Amino acid sequence: MTVQAIYEKGILKLSEDVNIKDGTTVKVIIIPLDIELEKNDPVNILQEIAQLPLEGKTDNFSGVDHDSILYS
């Protein structure tokens, strides 16, 4: 889950509600949005990967017949 926040007086104020129970421990990774990240920055690369679809809409190969295609 990615949520923007503003840091004010030692407190992170989330820009939207999150659906987690009170008292839940979470890990926070802080990436300031006011800095320009390079295109090859690992953060940008991972964000691009996360946005890729699991399968393309035009894929004719599902992987189910993988062995028969390779070893027939």
Side-chain angles (χ1 to χ4, degrees), residues 48-67:
E48 287 182 32
I49 291 170
Q51 294 173 0
L52 293 173
L54 294 179
E55 290 186 12
K57 293 180 181 177
T58 60
D59 287 348
N60 294 326
F61 178 70
S62 68
V64 174
D65 50 354
H66 174 267
D67 288 347

Side-chain angles (χ1 to χ4, degrees), residues 27-71:
K27 181 184 284 190
V28 177
I29 299 172
I30 298 176
I31 305 168
L33 297 179
D34 60 346
I35 62 170
E36 185 68 32
L37 296 174
E38 294 181 22
K39 182 167 177 56
N40 292 332
D41 184 282
V43 172
N44 283 336
I45 293 169
L46 291 174
Q47 286 176 342
E48 287 182 32
I49 291 170
Q51 294 173 0
L52 293 173
L54 294 179
E55 290 186 12
K57 293 180 181 177
T58 60
D59 287 348
N60 294 326
F61 178 70
S62 68
V64 174
D65 50 354
H66 174 267
D67 288 347
S68 64
I69 290 173
L70 286 178
Y71 306 113

